[in-house]
Amino acid sequence: MSILPDTASPDLAHPQEQELQLTQVLFALSDPGRLDIVRQLRDGPVEMANCNLMDPEVAKSTKSHLFKVLREAGVIRNIPKGRGRLLSLRRDALDRRFPGLLEAVLNAN
Amino acid sequence: MSILPDTASPDLAHPQEQELQLTQVLFALSDPGRLDIVRQLRDGPVEMANCNLMDPEVAKSTKSHLFKVLREAGVIRNIPKGRGRLLSLRRDALDRRFPGLLEAVLNAN
DNA sequence: AGGAGGGTTCGAAGTTTATCGAACCTTTCT
DNA sequence: AGAAAGGTTCGATAAACTTCGAACCCTCCT
């Protein structure tokens, strides 16, 4: 457990918990490819290199963009790890701001 | 209470409950203007003519389009009433398909 | 019948979002 | 140091979504 606040994620900008916007979160989750990523993070952090996209043919810049949208919405955290990146769900922030939302989305279907 | 199934909404096409797609629902809800409409329907049906949009300046064709996106996603029902239309949330269908989702969205903020 | 109130649909134009390749940056390995 | 692995960012193009006005449809009212 870190002592640092939720937003202390080096290198890339992460919105603060209080800045999260419901519509932006919903939009981030409204793409099947991005939703799939979120499901992969359900049980814990995953290294980006090990995160398989729905469409395995996409360019790496596109892959990066998918994570960017999720990160900027506050859905995921993206921190450096080794020469790659570690992705995780911002469950804590999401559950406080939008109680029940993430659970409902993850449990759907 | 109607004996007819959920989808028997005259005139305009409504998706069947089993056809609802989570990502489509999330997208429909991801626009502030559309989300606001959903909130107005929280406590019961509203006639379209009485439904005030966030931006009161929009053309009527645009207003109609907002409802169309919500209807096609299965979020709302839109049935004829007199010379106008009656709008209502498809709570039943949404709650069965995506338990907790609507509640979480409505309670947020 | 004719008109007005309320909405939908269509096509065009404007605005976002997605996707890609190229260039660049960091960390690890040799 | 140099090279490779793993990602981000930028600029351009393609695809999707939004918005509007015009045309059209119904229903109620006179």
Side-chain angles (χ1 to χ4, degrees):
Chain A
M1 269 236 342
S2 168
I3 287 182
L4 293 170
D6 198 57
T7 48
S9 305
D11 186 16
L12 288 176
H14 290 67
Q16 292 185 268
E17 180 177 325
Q18 78 221 22
E19 292 174 325
L20 303 200
Q21 296 199 255
L22 178 58
T23 51
Q24 195 178 358
V25 170
L26 293 173
F27 180 80
L29 298 173
S30 74
D31 174 73
R34 289 191 297 256
L35 183 55
D36 181 68
I37 290 169
V38 170
R39 293 214 157 100
Q40 291 187 48
L41 298 179
R42 180 176 198 162
D43 299 320
V46 171
E47 291 175 36
M48 193 181 289
N50 298 330
C51 188
N52 303 304
L53 298 189
M54 241 171 172
D55 176 1
E57 311 282 285
V58 297
K60 63 177 181 176
S61 54
T62 302
K63 180 174 182 180
S64 183
H65 181 65
L66 290 174
F67 294 110
K68 181 182 184 182
V69 173
L70 289 167
R71 169 177 54 82
E72 289 181 338
V75 177
I76 68 173
R77 205 177 282 118
N78 177 348
I79 63 175
K81 177 183 179 189
R83 56 181 138 182
R85 302 232 141 225
L86 188 66
L87 305 167
S88 57
L89 234 53
R90 288 184 64 183
R91 254 183 207 280
D92 43 5
L94 289 169
D95 285 348
R96 274 191 293 265
R97 285 299 312 279
F98 316 117
L101 179 62
L102 188 59
E103 193 199 343
V105 169
L106 288 175
N107 290 338
N109 258 335
Chain B
M1 272 232 341
S2 168
I3 288 183
L4 293 172
D6 198 55
T7 47
S9 305
D11 187 16
L12 288 176
H14 290 68
Q16 293 185 268
E17 179 177 325
Q18 76 221 25
E19 292 174 326
L20 304 200
Q21 296 199 263
L22 178 57
T23 52
Q24 195 178 357
V25 170
L26 293 172
F27 181 81
L29 298 173
S30 73
D31 174 74
R34 290 191 297 255
L35 184 55
D36 182 68
I37 290 170
V38 170
R39 292 212 158 101
Q40 291 186 50
L41 299 179
R42 181 178 198 160
D43 299 320
V46 172
E47 290 175 39
M48 195 181 287
N50 298 329
C51 188
N52 304 302
L53 299 188
M54 240 171 172
D55 176 0
E57 309 283 286
V58 297
K60 63 177 178 173
S61 53
T62 302
K63 180 175 182 181
S64 183
H65 181 67
L66 290 174
F67 293 111
K68 181 182 184 182
V69 173
L70 289 167
R71 171 177 52 80
E72 290 182 336
V75 176
I76 68 171
R77 205 177 284 117
N78 177 346
I79 64 176
K81 177 182 178 188
R83 55 182 139 185
R85 303 232 142 224
L86 188 65
L87 306 167
S88 56
L89 271 178
R90 288 183 65 183
R91 256 184 206 277
D92 42 5
L94 289 169
D95 285 348
R96 273 190 295 266
R97 285 299 311 280
F98 315 118
L101 179 62
L102 188 60
E103 194 199 342
V105 168
L106 288 174
N107 290 339
N109 258 334

